[in-house]
Amino acid sequence: MPHKKDAPLRSDAQRNRERILEVALAELTRCADSPLSVIAKKAGVGQGTFYRNFPNREALVLEIYRHEMQQVAESAAHLLDTLAPEQALRAWMDRLAEFAMAKAGLADVIRQVTSTPGSPAKPAHTPVISAAELLLRANEEAGTIRPGVTADDFLLAIAGLWQLDPHDDWQPRATWLLDLVMVGLRAGAPGR
């Protein structure tokens, strides 16, 4: 029986895939040039299993990126469930900064696999954009930020995070930058 692309993976195959992604994230974050054979070995899978899941380096890197962006995005709804909109937005900004700094090595790998001619395009930040929209709309409805701020505006405003050196003491600088963004978001808010 042919394997359908959309068919769910067997539980052992799913565990293998998750283990590969977990090991690959750690290895590629540590060293952008980590060999795929090392990742397969540390994940405890054979070359055939590895390449069945990820036929090339690009496929692996883009899946890690997609997965990590999904994790960051999903935290937005959880924060809104547990905090007031303004605190949820600021806490999510901190999580985004932590992600950006912790995954700096991964960012180098993503640039490598998406910057050569004929390489796949870097995936859109769709889950992150959706999460930012969710947080911004909740704050707009609460009157805690100025109306009309889009997710694109917001992501451009915080793009300075990706300029910070993760090997330096980046946290005070990130806090300062994100606090400035919050001041700008609050300016002109109807509830202020």
Side-chain angles (χ1 to χ4, degrees):
M1 180 173 176
H3 179 71
K4 291 183 179 178
K5 244 189 167 174
D6 296 346
L9 292 174
R10 294 183 335 255
S11 61
D12 61 330
Q14 183 62 37
R15 280 191 303 274
N16 284 342
R17 183 176 174 80
E18 289 169 4
R19 203 166 42 250
I20 292 167
L21 287 171
E22 182 182 322
V23 169
L25 174 61
E27 286 298 306
L28 293 173
T29 298
R30 185 185 58 74
C31 173
D33 297 324
S34 188
L36 298 183
S37 59
V38 169
I39 294 169
K41 185 174 182 179
K42 286 188 176 185
V45 300
Q47 296 286 336
T49 298
F50 183 92
Y51 285 108
R52 229 182 347 272
N53 281 281
F54 303 103
N56 55 45
R57 185 177 203 80
E58 291 81 7
L60 175 65
V61 168
L62 294 176
E63 178 59 20
I64 291 170
Y65 179 82
R66 187 205 60 75
H67 182 264
E68 290 297 297
M69 287 289 99
Q70 189 64 41
Q71 297 296 319
V72 171
E74 287 172 1
S75 70
H78 173 72
L79 289 168
L80 273 175
D81 287 343
T82 57
L83 299 170
E86 191 173 12
Q87 285 79 37
L89 176 61
R90 187 61 183 83
W92 189 73
M93 291 164 71
D94 286 337
R95 288 206 179 159
L96 204 52
E98 288 167 13
F99 171 80
M101 294 302 104
K103 306 301 189 258
L106 181 59
D108 292 340
V109 178
I110 291 165
R111 275 191 290 279
Q112 285 175 13
V113 302
T114 59
S115 63
T116 57
S119 64
K122 182 177 176 183
H125 295 293
T126 305
V128 172
I129 290 170
S130 298
E133 280 292 341
L134 176 71
L135 289 161
L136 291 169
R137 296 301 64 87
N139 275 276
E140 194 173 305
E141 288 172 22
T144 54
I145 66 169
R146 68 183 333 135
V149 177
T150 68
D152 286 339
D153 294 337
F154 172 76
L155 292 172
L156 280 172
I158 65 168
L161 287 174
W162 283 266
Q163 303 304 314
L164 299 176
D165 184 345
H167 306 293
D168 285 344
D169 185 18
W170 59 267
Q171 288 175 315
R173 190 79 188 267
T175 298
W176 168 247
L177 290 172
L178 296 177
D179 285 346
L180 279 174
V181 171
M182 284 302 293
V183 168
L185 290 170
R186 289 180 189 122
R192 297 273 169 210

